[in-house]
């Protein structure tokens, strides 16, 4: 990493950089900053509030200082995207719904991390902190389905149950790992090097808790409400009383032509477990 030129900074910028630097890893830089602060303090007429450089001349951190952490985070999300695609293909091949659904968010995040800059890393860290409460709750939603369905899946399709139970846990764990990598001191030091203040991560965490509470309410309202019952009734009209039914996914889309609802319903009995997609216009 290139040695920064601390002569370009004013006292406030130097103090901020000093607070963010790991003295154990960069003792020589700490010494340089303290020497520069002492030099500025000895100069008459130098104010801590007077900038030594304009915003346009604000120094830029060397990408080589923070890019390794971003590349490691991109590799983590590449693993999530690959597993997500594999799970989608497996579900489609084994009759767990006729629609091939893949969450592309992990792929988008991977590309942003692979090709984005320091601002991308900061924004994704902030957004990831918003998602922490949801990541903690989402694996528990697997226990929402009826116990009879769970026991039947374990008996008839143990691999399918394990995949669909472990996938949310895997994605949650990998997303938390990405958040940990984006909290790398090199990224924080690069921001301080550019004279930017650190964000208070309690704000996105509190926002995430509020969003999670709203999502849980909406989830149970959809699944246990009129739309969930209607989806199960449509599936029952097609397959009859020989199966039991449980809706595990509902999607609502509004347009100028009205509201369209699609759902995936799990159908099962003692000898079979499968999926059926139903849709209707409200």
């Amino acid at each position: 990493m290139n040695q920064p030129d601390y002569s370009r900074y004013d006292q406030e910028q130097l103090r901020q950089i000093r607070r963010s630097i790991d003295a154990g890893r960069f003792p020589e830089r700490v010494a340089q900053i303290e020497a520069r602060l002492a030099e500025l303090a000895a100069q008459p007429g130098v104010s801590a509030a007077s900038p030594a450089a304009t915003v346009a001349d604000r120094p830029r951190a060397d990408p080589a200082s923070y890019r390794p952490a971003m590349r490691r985070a991109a590799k983590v999300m590449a693993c999530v995207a690959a597993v997500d695609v594999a799970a989608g293909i497996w579900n489609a091949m084994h009759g767990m719904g006729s629609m091939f659904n893949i969450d592309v968010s992990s792929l988008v995040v991977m590309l942003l991390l692979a090709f984005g800059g320091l601002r991308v890393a900061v924004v994704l860290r902030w957004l990831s902190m918003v998602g922490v409460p949801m990541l903690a709750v989402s694996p528990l939603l697997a226990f929402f389905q009826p116990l009879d369905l769970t026991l039947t899946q374990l008996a008839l399709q143990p691999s399918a149950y394990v995949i669909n139970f472990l996938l949310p846990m895997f994605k949650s764990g990998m997303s938390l790992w990405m958040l940990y990598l984006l909290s790398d001191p090199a990224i924080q030091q690069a921001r301080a090097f550019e004279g930017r203040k650190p964000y208070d991560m309690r704000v996105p965490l509190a926002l995430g808790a509020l969003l999670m509470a709203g999502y849980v309410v909406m989830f149970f309202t959809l699944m246990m409400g009129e739309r969930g019952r209607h989806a199960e009734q449509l599936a029952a009209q097609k397959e009859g009383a020989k199966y039991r039914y449980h809706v595990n996914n509902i999607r609502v889309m509004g347009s100028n032509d009205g509201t369209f609802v699609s759902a995936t319903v799990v159908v099962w009995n003692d000898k079979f477990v499968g999926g059926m997609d139903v849709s209707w216009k409200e």
Side-chain angles (χ1 to χ4, degrees):
M1 178 178 176
N2 297 333
Q3 291 292 331
D5 180 9
Y6 294 120
S7 65
R8 302 175 58 188
Y9 304 127
D10 62 25
Q11 289 175 314
E12 181 61 30
Q13 290 173 323
L14 289 171
R15 292 191 186 99
Q16 185 175 340
I17 296 172
R18 172 64 183 87
R19 288 192 295 267
S20 67
I21 286 183
D22 185 347
R25 294 178 58 187
F26 305 104
E28 71 286 349
R29 297 188 183 183
V30 174
Q32 292 173 12
I33 292 173
E34 292 177 348
R36 178 58 180 164
L37 283 171
E39 180 183 345
L40 289 174
Q43 295 178 5
V46 176
S47 170
S50 60
T54 63
V55 175
D57 295 330
R58 177 177 290 172
R60 297 297 179 185
D62 183 358
S65 66
Y66 58 83
R67 290 297 303 166
M70 292 185 65
R71 283 195 292 266
R72 289 192 293 270
K75 291 178 182 178
V76 169
M77 297 314 295
C79 291
V80 175
V83 171
D84 210 18
V85 170
I89 294 174
W90 195 96
N91 283 333
M93 293 177 61
H94 289 77
M96 300 302 293
S98 60
M99 290 186 290
F100 182 57
N101 296 315
I102 294 178
D103 183 5
V104 299
S105 60
S106 55
L107 180 61
V108 173
V109 172
M110 179 199 72
L111 294 174
L112 289 173
L113 288 170
F115 301 104
L118 182 60
R119 187 180 297 274
V120 169
V122 174
V123 171
L124 287 179
R125 179 173 180 254
W126 197 93
L127 293 176
S128 297
M129 189 63 72
V130 173
V132 165
M134 183 60 68
L135 293 175
V137 171
S138 59
L140 301 178
L141 297 179
F143 296 99
F144 168 69
Q145 68 180 23
L147 178 61
D148 178 54
L149 173 57
T150 299
L151 295 177
T152 303
Q153 286 178 324
L154 284 172
L156 301 180
Q157 298 178 342
S159 58
Y161 180 78
V162 170
I163 288 175
N164 290 289
F165 176 73
L166 292 181
L167 182 60
M169 298 183 66
F170 169 78
K171 294 173 70 173
S172 296
M174 295 294 275
S175 297
L176 291 174
W177 188 11
M178 181 197 72
L179 175 60
Y180 170 77
L181 293 174
L182 292 180
S183 302
D184 191 284
I187 296 177
Q188 310 311 314
Q189 290 165 13
R191 278 185 54 79
F193 180 83
E194 295 185 353
R196 303 182 186 277
K197 295 182 180 180
Y199 290 116
D200 186 350
M201 289 294 105
R202 292 175 297 182
V203 174
L205 191 61
L207 176 60
L210 291 175
L211 293 175
M212 181 270 295
Y215 173 82
V216 170
V217 171
M218 182 181 67
F219 176 85
F220 283 99
T221 300
L222 282 175
M223 297 298 181
M224 303 179 67
E226 181 180 351
R227 285 170 173 160
R229 291 191 295 270
H230 185 63
E232 293 176 356
Q233 290 171 0
L234 289 178
Q237 291 174 7
K238 294 181 179 180
E239 298 295 336
K242 60 182 178 180
Y243 294 108
R244 293 183 288 276
Y245 304 91
H246 171 69
V247 59
N248 67 355
N249 188 16
I250 294 180
R251 299 165 293 278
V252 181
M253 295 170 289
S255 68
N256 294 332
D257 297 328
T259 301
F260 296 87
V261 183
S262 59
T264 301
V265 180
V266 180
V267 298
W268 84 98
N269 57 22
D270 295 337
K271 299 180 180 180
F272 173 80
V273 176
M276 174 183 298
D277 293 315
V278 297
S279 60
W280 67 94
K281 178 182 176 181
E282 294 185 339

